Amino acid sequence: MPYDVTRTTLRAMTHVPPPAEELRLLDAELWRLDARRTQLLTRRAWLLTVLQSQAPSAAPPAQPRRETTAPRVQNVLLLLGGVLLTIAAMVFTLVSWGHLGITGRALVLGVLTLAVLTAPVALLRRGLRSTAESMAGLGLALTALDAYALHETVFPGADGAAFAASATAALAALWTAYGSLPTASDLRLPLPAAMAMAQLPWFLAAVAVSTDPYIITAALLVTAAFDTIVALRSTAKAVRLVAVLGAYGAGAWGALAAGLLSWDAAGPSAAARAAALLTLAAAIAVGSAWWRAKSGTGTVAAVGNTLAGGLFLVAGAGGLLRAALPGAWTVPGYLICGVALLAALRSGLPEPVRRGLAHASAAVQAIALTCALPLIAVALLGPLGWADRPWSGVPSDARAAVAVHTPWPPYPTQLLLAPLLVAAVLALLVRTESWRPAALNTAAVLAWATLMTLPAALQLPYAVALSAQTVTTAAALAAAVFPSRATSAFLRPAVLALVLAVGTSLSAAFLSLASQPATLTVLSLLTAFFAAASLCSRLAPLTAPTALGYAAALACAIGAAAGWQPQHTALLVLPVPVAAALLAARVTGRATLPVELTGAATALLAVGLAITDPPMLALVLALCAVIAAGVAVRPDRRPVGYAAAVLFLLATWVRLAAWDVGTVEAYTIPVTVPALCVGAWRRRRDRLTSSWTAYGPGLAATLLPSLAAAWDDPHWTRPLLLGTAALTVTLLGARQRLQAPLLLGGSVLALDALHELAPYLAQLTGALPRWAPFALAGALLLALGSTYERRIRDVRRVRDVLTNMH
């Protein structure tokens, strides 16, 4: 078919039915669906109501909740039964024993014990495992009662401790044999009970043999060794758990007792015996760790056991040295023994064992450093005490110089060997690449702390201590300026040296406060040192502010040495913010802001020194304003100009107050005139600037305070001058079509006129009758109502005029 024919045919086709008829049919069907839906929803709501009303009666009765299980009830009953039978056997043995003869006693207990110990075998065959366990527990208790009965009848005169040692050993062996029988091997109670009983024989035997604490301690350690072997070799979980608890318990008590014996040893012989006990404890701990490391189980436990074993070795060896050396060398002796543990790092020991010994050595070193900490703290913080008693006299020696408020600790000087030895260990033995930088930094800090403490510890002369700290500051700064190429993930060497230099300089500065010449000399040197270090741009962010701070302190010291009053000393401090402003303009990078902040702080110090003398305070504020104005010349510090303006204004006000000027306009006009000038300059540059922004602050600074002063002024001069000024401002605002001058001037003029007319209005109010004010008010309302439309038109006209103003 031709293309044209097809298009003509498609255009001629129509819908069946027509669109209007189809739309009507769809609307009718939708209406029927909505009606059916409404009917169904109504029926659904009725059904829900019926079901809710029938719910309580149809709900099934709640079943009681079971709070325990049948096996748990069974175990409780069996446990209670076994306990009651055991108590009954004890009562029979202890109370009713005497009513039977020897044959009867032996027959009753023997038959009862054999019957109870045999019963679990039959019960296991019948599958009654829990009952068998209960009967086995009762049988074990009966064997203990048999041992007691044997002591009371056959061996009544035997030593209690010796018989108890033998009985517990026999019971442990008997229970082990009973639990190992093929017919009773399924019982879980006999073997752990035998292991628990095995904790007593050695200890009781030692108590029976002697009261010597060394023998008793050895018995505890032997018990711990036996428990350790069982814990490592046993496959039964319950037995291993009891053995572990026994090993740690007996081992802890034995090691603690051996440590106390070593500490209280009166001579080398006693110290040697205690060291042998501690060596045994260490062998047990390290041996178990070695076994675990070799078997690949319990790495954390292996490290912990080795750590304890290393501490035991240090305690034993240190005790020997302590008995042979003077008391002052106690801590260094223990520290040397702790460092000696690091020799194991070069051995072929398993890695967990070597790690545990390293941790033990680190713990000993940390304890030694803690012992030396009081000496270091007093030496570093003691000079701060000179801040409240400067120039009170040169101390006798360096120890007296640091012990101003805090007494020197009564500890031996040999404690300072601890930080030195630890520093040497860190510097020489730590070779791991990731830990090497941090170790070197820590070693440097420890060496620095020791160097700072040595003069006081050795009671060197005061001048020597002060000189040592000053030289140390210079050396640290030199190390910061010329650092090594080593890098550190913890702290860069240059940064560390700079931090140590600042800390040393602070200590030297406070220490120098004891003497006037020392103060001036040290502050001068510190200022020169840090100023020279500031030539290195990477150190300037810290050294430049520090140099400025010491320069300010030097200026204060010079003023005090010259006998000047604080307000005159403020003039000596002002060159420091000048230098800071000049330096900030020359340096670049991160040093600019710290230098500027330090300069601002020193300027604030100068203001604080002069605050008691208003004329001098005005001069200082003016000079600070000049400095701020000089800073504002820099393009990136334009906002500082506002601070300069505020300082100039404060200087003016302080000067006026010093002259006892009470006229408020003397304080406000110096603000208004520059503000108006700045506003005029700004509007000249930007014609779109609002008059409120340009002239509002300046006009309000004088008009409003003057209006407040004129309101309470009984004379006519100030109100007249204020009214004249307000009228002038109003006229200028109307002439220039400026909103701020027009409204501010007009408002002040109206209020000023109201203030002047107030007395006359009051007199007039008193002379008129009481009805006159109401009559006047009514007449005014009528006049306003009669001319309402015209007034509205005038108000709109005024609004349009003000809107067109700037």
Side-chain angles (χ1 to χ4, degrees), residues 285-296 302 305-306 348-350 353:
V286 176
S288 64
W290 197 328
W291 178 276
R292 289 182 178 275
K294 287 294 185 181
S295 60
N305 290 344
T306 307
L349 296 174
V353 176

Side-chain angles (χ1 to χ4, degrees), residues 8-32:
T8 304
T9 305
L10 293 176
R11 288 179 179 177
M13 292 176 66
T14 58
H15 293 278
V16 179
E21 181 65 18
E22 186 178 359
L23 179 62
R24 186 185 65 78
L25 293 175
L26 290 176
D27 290 340
E29 185 65 25
L30 290 174
W31 183 86
R32 281 193 294 271

Side-chain angles (χ1 to χ4, degrees), residues 29 39 50 166 189 240 278 281 341 347-348 353 377 385 433 447 474 601 630 643 648 656 665 679 681 721 783 797 799:
E29 185 65 25
Q39 180 183 2
V50 172
S166 303
L189 184 60
R240 188 167 63 251
L278 288 170
L341 291 178
S347 63
V353 176
E433 184 177 354
F648 275 124
L656 293 172
E665 288 76 12
W681 173 75
L721 295 176
R797 185 179 300 168
R799 185 192 62 184

Side-chain angles (χ1 to χ4, degrees), residues 330-631:
T330 298
V331 173
Y334 281 102
L335 179 57
I336 291 173
C337 296
V339 172
L341 291 178
L342 296 177
L345 298 178
R346 302 292 182 180
S347 63
L349 296 174
E351 195 274 336
V353 176
R354 288 187 281 113
R355 194 193 314 168
L357 291 177
H359 290 171
S361 178
V364 174
Q365 296 177 50
I367 294 172
L369 288 178
T370 304
C371 295
L373 188 60
L375 296 177
I376 298 174
V378 173
L380 294 179
L381 302 178
L384 298 178
W386 288 103
D388 61 347
R389 48 186 303 182
W391 299 352
S392 57
V394 178
S396 58
D397 52 39
R399 180 175 296 184
V402 300
V404 182
H405 294 302
T406 304
W408 184 257
Y411 301 143
T413 308
Q414 286 82 352
L415 287 177
L416 294 179
L417 292 174
L420 284 179
L421 187 56
V422 173
V425 169
L426 292 174
L428 298 177
L429 299 184
V430 178
R431 295 293 179 180
T432 306
E433 184 177 354
S434 58
W435 288 98
R436 177 71 175 170
L440 292 177
N441 290 328
T442 306
V445 172
L446 292 176
W448 169 79
T450 306
L451 182 62
M452 296 288 289
T453 311
L454 274 178
L458 301 177
Q459 292 184 293
L460 298 178
Y462 168 73
V464 174
L466 193 58
S467 301
Q469 293 190 2
T470 307
V471 172
T472 302
T473 302
L477 285 175
V481 174
F482 306 103
S484 63
R485 295 186 178 181
T487 58
S488 172
F490 178 69
L491 195 65
R492 288 195 299 249
V495 177
L496 178 62
L498 188 58
V499 171
L500 296 181
V502 173
T504 309
S505 67
L506 288 175
S507 179
F510 280 102
L511 193 64
S512 67
L513 292 177
S515 170
Q516 176 180 317
T519 302
L520 297 175
T521 303
V522 170
L523 290 179
S524 300
L525 291 175
L526 293 179
T527 304
F529 290 162
F530 283 94
S534 300
L535 298 177
C536 182
S537 59
R538 57 186 173 81
L539 303 181
L542 183 58
T543 56
T546 306
L548 293 173
Y550 283 131
L554 178 61
C556 294
I558 292 174
W564 289 9
Q565 295 296 324
Q567 60 269 22
H568 299 133
T569 305
L571 298 177
L572 292 176
V573 178
L574 284 178
V576 177
V578 173
L582 296 175
L583 181 62
R586 295 181 62 86
V587 299
T588 58
R590 296 177 299 173
T592 303
L593 184 59
V595 169
E596 291 176 341
L597 292 177
T598 306
T602 54
L604 185 62
L605 173 62
V607 172
L609 291 173
I611 200 169
T612 58
D613 188 356
M616 186 60 67
L617 177 60
L619 177 60
V620 171
L621 288 173
L623 294 176
C624 291
V626 172
I627 298 172
V631 174

